[in-house]
Protein backbone atom coordinates (compact mmCIF):
# COMPACT_ATOMS: atom_id res chain seq x y z
CA UNK A 1 0.00 0.00 0.00
CA UNK A 2 1.51 3.33 -1.02
CA UNK A 3 1.53 6.28 1.33
CA UNK A 4 -1.00 8.92 0.33
CA UNK A 5 0.74 11.88 1.89
CA UNK A 6 4.00 12.92 3.42
CA UNK A 7 5.07 12.58 7.01
CA UNK A 8 4.40 15.71 9.05
CA UNK A 9 5.92 16.62 12.38
CA UNK A 10 4.17 19.23 14.51
CA UNK A 11 5.91 20.67 17.53
CA UNK A 12 4.29 21.46 20.85
CA UNK A 13 5.39 23.68 23.68
CA UNK A 14 5.83 21.72 26.92
CA UNK A 15 2.49 20.78 28.42
CA UNK A 16 -0.83 20.07 26.76
CA UNK A 17 -2.26 23.61 26.66
CA UNK A 18 -1.95 23.95 22.88
CA UNK A 19 -2.76 20.32 22.11
CA UNK A 20 -6.33 20.96 20.89
CA UNK A 21 -5.10 23.67 18.49
CA UNK A 22 -2.36 21.42 17.15
CA UNK A 23 -4.81 18.52 16.65
CA UNK A 24 -7.19 20.84 14.80
CA UNK A 25 -4.34 22.03 12.56
CA UNK A 26 -3.29 18.43 11.90
CA UNK A 27 -6.91 17.38 11.25
CA UNK A 28 -7.30 20.15 8.64
CA UNK A 29 -4.73 18.36 6.47
CA UNK A 30 -6.92 15.26 6.13
CA UNK A 31 -6.72 11.81 7.62
CA UNK A 32 -3.66 10.96 9.65
CA UNK A 33 -2.07 9.13 12.53
CA UNK A 34 -1.08 11.01 15.68
CA UNK A 35 1.91 9.54 17.47
CA UNK A 36 4.12 10.85 20.27
CA UNK A 37 7.04 9.68 22.36
CA UNK A 38 5.40 11.17 25.46
CA UNK A 39 2.74 8.70 26.66
CA UNK A 40 1.02 11.32 28.84
CA UNK A 41 0.68 13.65 25.87
CA UNK A 42 -0.59 10.76 23.75
CA UNK A 43 -3.23 9.96 26.36
CA UNK A 44 -4.31 13.61 26.38
CA UNK A 45 -4.53 13.57 22.58
CA UNK A 46 -6.63 10.41 22.59
CA UNK A 47 -9.04 12.06 25.05
CA UNK A 48 -9.46 14.98 22.61
CA UNK A 49 -10.23 12.75 19.60
CA UNK A 50 -13.67 11.14 19.38
CA UNK A 51 -13.53 7.34 19.36
CA UNK A 52 -15.66 7.22 16.19
CA UNK A 53 -13.59 9.84 14.35
CA UNK A 54 -12.31 8.61 11.00
CA UNK A 55 -9.88 11.48 10.33
CA UNK A 56 -7.37 11.04 13.15
CA UNK A 57 -6.05 7.89 14.78
CA UNK A 58 -4.03 8.18 17.99
CA UNK A 59 -1.53 5.35 18.46
CA UNK A 60 1.59 4.76 20.50
CA UNK A 61 4.99 4.57 18.84
CA UNK A 62 5.32 0.81 19.41
CA UNK A 63 1.92 0.15 17.82
CA UNK A 64 2.75 2.38 14.84
CA UNK A 65 6.10 0.65 14.27
CA UNK A 66 4.43 -2.78 14.49
CA UNK A 67 1.75 -1.75 11.96
CA UNK A 68 4.38 -0.43 9.53
CA UNK A 69 6.54 -3.54 9.84
CA UNK A 70 3.53 -5.80 9.39
CA UNK A 71 2.51 -3.90 6.24
CA UNK A 72 6.05 -4.48 4.93
CA UNK A 73 5.74 -8.22 5.64
CA UNK A 74 8.36 -8.00 8.37
CA UNK A 75 8.23 -9.60 11.79
CA UNK A 76 7.78 -6.87 14.43
CA UNK A 77 10.12 -7.13 17.41
CA UNK A 78 9.74 -5.58 20.82
CA UNK A 79 10.44 -1.87 21.22
CA UNK A 80 13.10 -0.64 23.63
CA UNK A 81 12.30 1.27 26.79
CA UNK A 82 11.28 4.93 26.62
CA UNK A 83 14.83 6.09 27.37
CA UNK A 84 16.28 3.91 24.62
CA UNK A 85 13.70 5.17 22.12
CA UNK A 86 14.49 8.83 22.93
CA UNK A 87 18.22 8.12 22.63
CA UNK A 88 17.75 6.32 19.29
CA UNK A 89 15.61 9.13 17.87
CA UNK A 90 18.13 11.73 19.09
CA UNK A 91 21.02 9.82 17.50
CA UNK A 92 19.13 9.34 14.22
CA UNK A 93 18.27 13.03 13.95
CA UNK A 94 21.44 14.69 15.27
CA UNK A 95 22.88 15.24 11.79
CA UNK A 96 19.72 16.87 10.38
CA UNK A 97 19.65 20.57 9.57
CA UNK A 98 18.09 22.82 12.19
CA UNK A 99 15.26 23.65 9.74
CA UNK A 100 14.24 20.00 9.40
CA UNK A 101 10.80 19.08 10.79
CA UNK A 102 12.43 16.06 12.46
Amino acid sequence: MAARSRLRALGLVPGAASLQDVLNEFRSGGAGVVCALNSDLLLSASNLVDSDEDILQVVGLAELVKKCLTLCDDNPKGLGSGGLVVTAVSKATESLDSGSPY
Side-chain angles (χ1 to χ4, degrees), residues 75-96:
N75 183 20
K77 310 282 189 296
L79 187 65
S81 69
L84 288 175
V85 171
V86 170
T87 301
V89 170
S90 296
K91 184 72 174 165
T93 59
E94 70 185 2
S95 63
L96 295 176

Side-chain angles (χ1 to χ4, degrees), residues 7-11 92-102:
L7 191 62
R8 292 188 299 153
L10 301 176
T93 59
E94 70 185 2
S95 63
L96 295 176
D97 294 333
S98 61
S100 172
Y102 307 104

Side-chain angles (χ1 to χ4, degrees), residues 20 23-24 27 44-58:
Q20 183 67 59
L23 288 174
N24 289 339
R27 186 182 284 116
S44 296
S46 67
N47 289 332
L48 294 171
V49 174
D50 292 332
S51 60
D52 60 345
E53 180 171 339
D54 58 352
I55 295 178
L56 295 183
Q57 283 183 344
V58 179

